[in-house]
Amino acid sequence: MTATTPSHQKLQPQFYLLVFLVSIGFFMQGLDTTIINTALPAIANSLQENPLRMHGVVISYVLSVAACIPLSGWLADRFGIRNTFFSAIIIFTIASLGCALSNSFNSLIAFRVLQGIGGALLLPVGRLAMLKLIPREQFLSAMSLMSLAGLMGPLIGPTLGGWLIEAASWHWIFLINLPIGLLGMLVTFKAMPNTTEPTVKKFDFSGFILLVIAMVGMALGIENIASHDVSKRFSIGLLVAGLIATLVYAYHAHTHQNALFRSKLFRNNIYTIGILGNFFARFGSNAIPFILPLMLQVAFKMEPLMTGIMMTPMVLGSLFSKPIIRPIISKVGYRRLLLINTFLVGACIASFALTTVDTPIWLRAVHFFIFGTLNSLQFVTMNTFTLKDLPQQDASSGNSFLSMIMMLSMSIGVAIAGALLNVFTAYFGEEHITQAFHTTLICLGAINIITALIFYQIPKNQVI
């Protein structure tokens, strides 16, 4: 019998409840991010909105998550892990109820923003609680258990969303969060002590406001650039405000001692390339879970449940890729893998333009599975590459910044997809909606392929 090494021990029973609690938060966030995509046409029909303009429902949630990620660690240190996590579940659950009761597009957007604030705190604070309370040698086992819950959310989300719409109504994709949230509230006081830090730095509110302006300006500027309801001047003004705030924050990060993200992070060349690659290479990939269910339902007239089932091979492809990622990186290296895979992901996105209403179900499923595999390879490799050379003292800040960039990239990716779709629908006419979807997918694929130029900057000697 082999002795268990100190670096990786089995999780002790006293920590099971804590891991279960954090898993609830992870599951809620994972479920909510995916379940909404299948429901957008039904929500649009109920609220008498154009389904091609429903990307705001996705962007509002993801953008508020991105904006509030920098707050999570400071709030947990200042007010305690349990208090912050408990507040996050309350906010998320109440916002879910508000979304379900919304009778207008604007009220739904408002509650999605509130839901995003709760979601922004759930996972980072839960992960922080496990890091502080679970012995380091048991941490890997705890994270492995928790990640199963994170995978379950995206796995069942699209199909569950489609089934709820057909069996009941779109309101239930939000109401389902209520019993899960109530369970989380009850378990929190049992499983999580209210650990605080004795000394907490003053929060960088000026930097936080600059980051919010930068993210909101860029995402909403892109989202509304093709909208008939918002003037071009206002959209361009938002974009300019976002870019100016970005430049001002760059100066702030260099000069302010207490900045949320210090400029010294970017002295690490590998980290800088990884952040830029993560930001741009996620535009097309992150738009796919939004645009494909829309195309299947609006252009191909597929039922919501079948649409949800069709999205499942993507998640299965992601699961399939997990065991093979490390051996592939070891064999070909970060540079070659990211150059080749970025091109393949872009080509796969563009190839969705070849699908029609008559494409066989089995062929569509294989296509989605291949995309899920390539996409997971891309994301895991980019994330590992970005963080691998960060010194210990910068690990927490660097990881938070990467998390924020990932969510911002998702919101901008969906905004770009929505804007392109509206432009091409206006150009081809609504009677040629399939052509508008196809052209949008080709553009998203091209954006991804161009991103390979960033990974070309990776030094040739980079190994795992």
Side-chain angles (χ1 to χ4, degrees):
M1 184 174 168
T2 308
T4 307
T5 57
S7 59
H8 176 30
Q9 292 179 5
K10 190 178 176 183
L11 189 68
Q12 296 300 307
Q14 66 263 33
F15 299 116
Y16 284 163
L17 197 59
L18 175 63
V19 174
F20 173 69
L21 173 62
V22 177
S23 299
I24 289 173
F26 198 10
F27 176 79
M28 285 172 76
Q29 193 186 40
L31 182 70
D32 202 76
T33 307
T34 53
I35 200 171
I36 188 76
N37 293 317
T38 317
L40 289 177
I43 297 172
N45 185 50
S46 174
L47 300 180
Q48 298 178 319
E49 286 287 331
N50 185 337
L52 302 186
R53 297 200 173 95
M54 291 300 287
H55 45 280
V57 177
V58 179
I59 293 168
S60 54
Y61 175 82
V62 177
L63 198 54
S64 56
V65 170
C68 292
I69 282 173
L71 264 176
S72 58
W74 184 85
L75 287 172
D77 288 345
R78 175 70 178 79
F79 298 105
I81 289 175
R82 185 182 64 204
N83 289 348
T84 308
F85 192 83
F86 186 71
S87 301
I89 290 184
I90 289 177
I91 291 168
F92 193 92
T93 307
I94 290 174
S96 297
L97 179 61
C99 288
L101 298 177
S102 296
N103 54 11
S104 72
F105 182 70
N106 289 335
S107 63
L108 178 59
I109 293 290
F111 282 113
R112 285 288 283 171
V113 169
L114 188 63
Q115 200 179 32
I117 294 169
L121 303 180
L122 276 175
L123 186 54
V125 175
R127 194 188 288 124
L128 183 65
M130 295 203 318
L131 194 60
K132 287 190 173 186
L133 299 170
I134 295 174
R136 193 55 58 94
E137 62 272 12
Q138 297 174 41
F139 186 68
L140 183 59
S141 296
M143 286 296 289
S144 299
L145 278 173
M146 188 197 76
S147 63
L148 288 175
L151 290 170
M152 284 301 293
L155 185 62
I156 68 170
T159 306
L160 181 62
W163 179 78
L164 285 171
I165 291 159
E166 289 191 21
S169 71
W170 66 265
H171 306 85
W172 283 94
I173 69 167
F174 297 111
L175 291 173
I176 198 171
N177 287 328
L178 269 60
I180 304 171
L182 287 170
L183 177 63
M185 290 178 210
L186 292 172
V187 176
T188 301
F189 280 90
K190 177 77 174 170
M192 192 179 284
N194 195 40
T195 310
T196 57
E197 288 295 322
T199 55
V200 183
K201 288 181 182 177
K202 187 179 178 185
F203 186 69
D204 178 22
F205 276 107
S206 55
F208 176 68
I209 296 301
L210 283 169
L211 283 173
V212 171
I213 293 170
M215 290 188 279
V216 171
M218 284 190 284
L220 296 192
I222 293 168
E223 181 196 0
N224 292 312
I225 198 80
S227 172
H228 299 297
D229 304 322
V230 180
S231 72
K232 294 279 188 294
R233 189 175 295 178
F234 181 70
S235 297
I236 293 168
L238 281 172
L239 269 172
V240 171
L243 292 171
I244 290 172
T246 303
L247 293 172
V248 174
Y249 184 81
Y251 177 77
H252 175 85
H254 189 66
T255 58
H256 197 281
Q257 194 63 35
N258 208 28
L260 285 167
F261 306 108
R262 297 298 311 280
S263 61
K264 66 175 183 175
L265 274 174
F266 301 98
R267 291 178 197 154
N268 185 316
N269 187 44
I270 298 300
Y271 183 76
T272 304
I273 293 169
I275 287 293
L276 287 171
N278 262 286
F279 182 64
F280 290 103
R282 289 174 180 270
F283 286 172
S285 301
N286 284 328
I288 290 302
F290 157 73
I291 201 165
L292 285 188
L294 210 56
M295 181 171 77
L296 292 176
Q297 291 181 77
V298 174
F300 300 164
K301 308 302 178 189
M302 193 177 279
E303 293 299 318
L305 177 57
M306 193 61 202
T307 300
I309 292 169
M310 285 310 309
M311 302 307 289
T312 305
M314 273 192 204
V315 186
L316 295 176
S318 175
L319 292 173
F320 169 77
S321 75
K322 300 300 182 193
I324 63 173
I325 292 172
R326 189 179 178 88
I328 292 175
I329 296 173
S330 298
K331 189 168 181 61
V332 304
Y334 284 107
R335 187 176 189 271
R336 194 183 302 171
L337 177 56
L338 285 170
L339 280 171
I340 294 169
N341 204 66
T342 303
F343 177 84
L344 290 175
V345 171
C348 194
I349 291 169
S351 70
F352 284 123
L354 299 173
T355 62
T356 67
V357 68
D358 299 317
T359 301
I361 292 290
W362 69 266
L363 183 58
R364 210 189 294 279
V366 170
H367 198 172
F368 286 15
F369 180 85
I370 291 169
F371 174 76
T373 304
L374 292 172
N375 204 34
S376 180
L377 271 172
Q378 183 80 3
F379 285 0
V380 175
T381 307
M382 286 193 302
N383 293 354
T384 310
F385 171 78
T386 304
L387 299 173
K388 74 184 190 73
D389 285 349
L390 270 188
Q392 189 62 39
Q393 65 269 23
D394 294 332
S396 177
S397 176
N399 188 46
S400 293
F401 189 76
L402 174 61
S403 299
M404 187 185 79
I405 286 296
M406 284 158 54
M407 300 308 289
L408 175 62
S409 178
M410 187 187 295
S411 63
I412 291 178
V414 174
I416 290 171
L420 287 172
L421 194 53
N422 283 322
V423 166
F424 292 128
T425 303
Y427 179 76
F428 293 116
E430 294 205 8
E431 65 276 13
H432 299 293
I433 189 71
T434 300
Q435 199 170 352
F437 274 104
H438 285 172
T439 314
T440 300
L441 286 162
I442 291 168
C443 290
L444 292 172
I447 291 169
N448 212 85
I449 290 169
I450 292 166
T451 307
L453 292 171
I454 295 172
F455 298 121
Y456 191 76
Q457 309 305 314
I458 298 172
K460 292 183 180 179
N461 60 349
Q462 283 298 311
V463 292
I464 192 165

